[in-house]
Amino acid sequence: MRNWARALAVSAALLMPGAHASEAPEPPDQSWSFEGPLGGHDATAARRGFKVYAEACWSCHALDHIRFRDLGGLGFADDEVKSLAAGYEVPAGPNEYGDIVDDQGLLFMRRARPEDPFALPYLNEAAARTANDGVFPTELSLIVKARRGGPDYLFAFLTGYTEPPPALDLAEGRFFNAYFPGQAIAMEPSLSDGLIAYDDGTPETVDQYARDIVAFLAWTADPHLNARNRLGLGVVAFLAVFFILLLALKRRIWARLD
Ligand code: HEC
């Protein structure tokens, strides 16, 4: 569908009296460095995106498949990773008596180390649900691949909070987001202009934060993309040279047979 037609369809659906949550519109196309056969991650954007995740999302959303030391892949130096990890706590496991909790019933914790997985925001799913109105904040490491529309959806979703259409009856604790399936979401808008400080002069806007966190989550979903594409390019270059050599060889052989 053309853009104007889509816009018209969405506004018509939203303006209809007594409209319920209607079908979510297609997310607009964005261009991403990691798309296409030669695409690669933009490590600078992804590092900013990590900062956004750490300051605005980590308190609710886990990244199960990522360890602190993986951040080296985005250009963080070893000692940066070490001090970053030390800013988080993970369960320490049993002490010499086999206890995992102290006499208050609280888990023994220790500072995280580079080889630890990213610290979990909640100790288990039940705790996560209790803190979020019964809804589980999705684990995000593969979200870019898991949703239809991928990065475009994620960007549209993160920038897609608006006032609900007047006719829509939103339940308590739910927010309107046109792009979220069902359009009523239990996650409050977690980005606002100026929320996270960037030290490289990049604009501190919701739009930019969303773009950067998509760059980061595209990396968590496929950290080896750049190496794979480089390898692919090497293979293609090798095959091209090999083909030329074979052609030359064939010509020589046939020249002799003439
Ligand atoms: C206060 C807790 C909280 C914070 C902070 C938070 N979220 Fe969420 N998020 C949730 C909850 C709860 C859900 C599930 C909502 C639902 O299903 O109604 C959710 C859902 C999502 C989804 C899933 C959408 C889908 O298609 O299923 C994504 C993606 C997401 N959050 C990304 C983020 C990002 C990125 C940030 C940081 C910029 C963030 N969230 C910050 C609680 C949070």
Side-chain angles (χ1 to χ4, degrees):
M1 217 194 300
R2 292 188 177 280
N3 274 344
W4 61 264
R6 194 180 299 147
L8 206 66
V10 172
S11 6
L14 295 181
L15 288 174
M16 257 181 343
H20 303 294
S22 55
E23 220 179 288
E26 283 287 311
D29 259 345
Q30 309 287 335
S31 85
W32 304 103
S33 72
F34 47 82
E35 281 178 335
L38 299 181
H41 293 300
D42 175 347
T44 313
R47 272 201 304 274
R48 286 195 305 266
F50 167 69
K51 190 161 200 263
V52 177
Y53 169 70
E55 294 183 28
C57 323
W58 203 338
S59 56
C60 295
H61 289 280
L63 281 178
D64 286 351
H65 305 296
I66 306 295
R67 291 171 190 275
F68 285 98
R69 66 164 177 234
D70 294 336
L71 290 172
L74 287 181
F76 285 89
D78 287 354
D79 43 348
E80 263 181 299
V81 171
K82 214 168 169 179
S83 65
L84 208 148
Y88 293 84
E89 289 198 321
V90 293
N95 66 5
E96 65 268 40
Y97 306 108
D99 294 330
I100 56 167
V101 291
D102 62 16
D103 48 11
Q104 311 280 320
L106 295 173
L107 275 183
F108 291 128
M109 302 294 277
R110 65 165 170 80
R111 291 193 177 288
R113 296 188 281 261
E115 65 273 21
D116 286 320
F118 268 22
L120 292 173
Y122 304 102
L123 290 174
N124 59 26
E125 187 175 330
R129 283 188 190 278
T130 306
N132 288 283
D133 207 13
V135 189
F136 183 64
T138 332
E139 194 279 326
L140 292 183
S141 51
L142 295 173
I143 193 85
V144 168
K145 297 206 178 249
R147 289 287 177 273
R148 220 181 118 247
D152 294 340
Y153 162 72
L154 199 60
F155 179 79
F157 162 70
L158 289 169
T159 53
Y161 283 91
T162 53
E163 284 296 311
L168 190 74
D169 210 4
L170 217 51
E172 179 76 20
R174 294 295 182 273
F175 303 84
F176 182 75
N177 186 313
Y179 292 96
F180 183 68
Q183 302 189 317
I185 184 165
M187 169 178 143
E188 60 184 11
S190 49
L191 295 173
S192 56
D193 289 347
L195 180 72
I196 294 135
Y198 281 159
D199 54 14
D200 61 357
T202 306
E204 296 167 0
T205 59
V206 169
D207 210 77
Q208 186 66 42
Y209 295 148
R211 209 164 278 286
D212 290 343
I213 188 132
V214 171
F216 174 64
L217 293 175
W219 172 79
T220 63
D222 190 0
H224 304 299
L225 170 75
N226 292 18
R228 205 168 56 240
N229 281 356
R230 260 200 311 275
L231 184 72
L233 212 60
V235 170
V236 170
F238 169 79
L239 286 177
V241 170
F242 194 60
F243 176 73
I244 292 168
L245 284 177
L246 276 184
L247 208 65
L249 191 65
K250 180 207 151 231
R251 289 223 169 129
R252 265 181 101 167
I253 293 172
W254 282 90
R256 248 188 264 153
L257 289 179
D258 269 347

